Amino acid sequence: MAKTKRGKGLWNIPSKSRGTCPICLSTRIKLLYSATNSDGKTVTVCKKCSSVNAKTADKAASTVNLGFRRKLRRKLNQQKQKV
């Protein structure tokens, strides 16, 4: 496969599929995998968190309104503790 074709589909996804993982709170990481919580809702997660069970996926923090910067990690940890 030519190197120019690798990851071509990511260019059409908003922010090229990068964001903050709601489970491990890693910032600026590719969110290409999905995890299902106990309610049946799917959450997009990173590769490390793709094999989590439903109980762990329930504890996922909402990262919709937060950016990529590491200084927001404190806010993410506070959100995760509330859940």
Side-chain angles (χ1 to χ4, degrees):
M1 176 192 296
K3 288 186 179 180
T4 58
K5 303 294 183 188
R6 294 182 190 166
K8 185 179 177 184
L10 296 178
W11 290 91
N12 299 330
I13 300 172
S15 72
K16 296 177 183 62
S17 177
R18 288 191 179 265
T20 304
C21 180
I23 297 175
C24 67
L25 302 177
S26 297
T27 56
R28 297 193 55 136
I29 195 164
K30 289 183 183 175
L31 303 174
L32 299 175
Y33 302 92
S34 61
T36 307
N37 60 9
S38 61
D39 297 335
K41 296 179 183 177
T42 58
V43 180
T44 56
V45 294
C46 64
K47 187 175 184 178
K48 294 183 292 186
C49 300
S50 62
S51 62
V52 297
N53 56 8
K55 187 176 181 181
T56 307
D58 286 337
K59 297 179 182 177
S62 176
T63 58
V64 175
N65 295 325
L66 297 175
F68 298 120
R69 302 203 145 185
R70 292 190 185 272
K71 60 176 126 175
L72 296 172
R73 185 165 266 180
R74 182 179 298 157
K75 289 182 183 178
L76 287 172
N77 284 326
Q78 289 172 354
Q79 282 186 359
K80 192 168 183 180
Q81 290 174 357
K82 288 179 183 178
V83 174

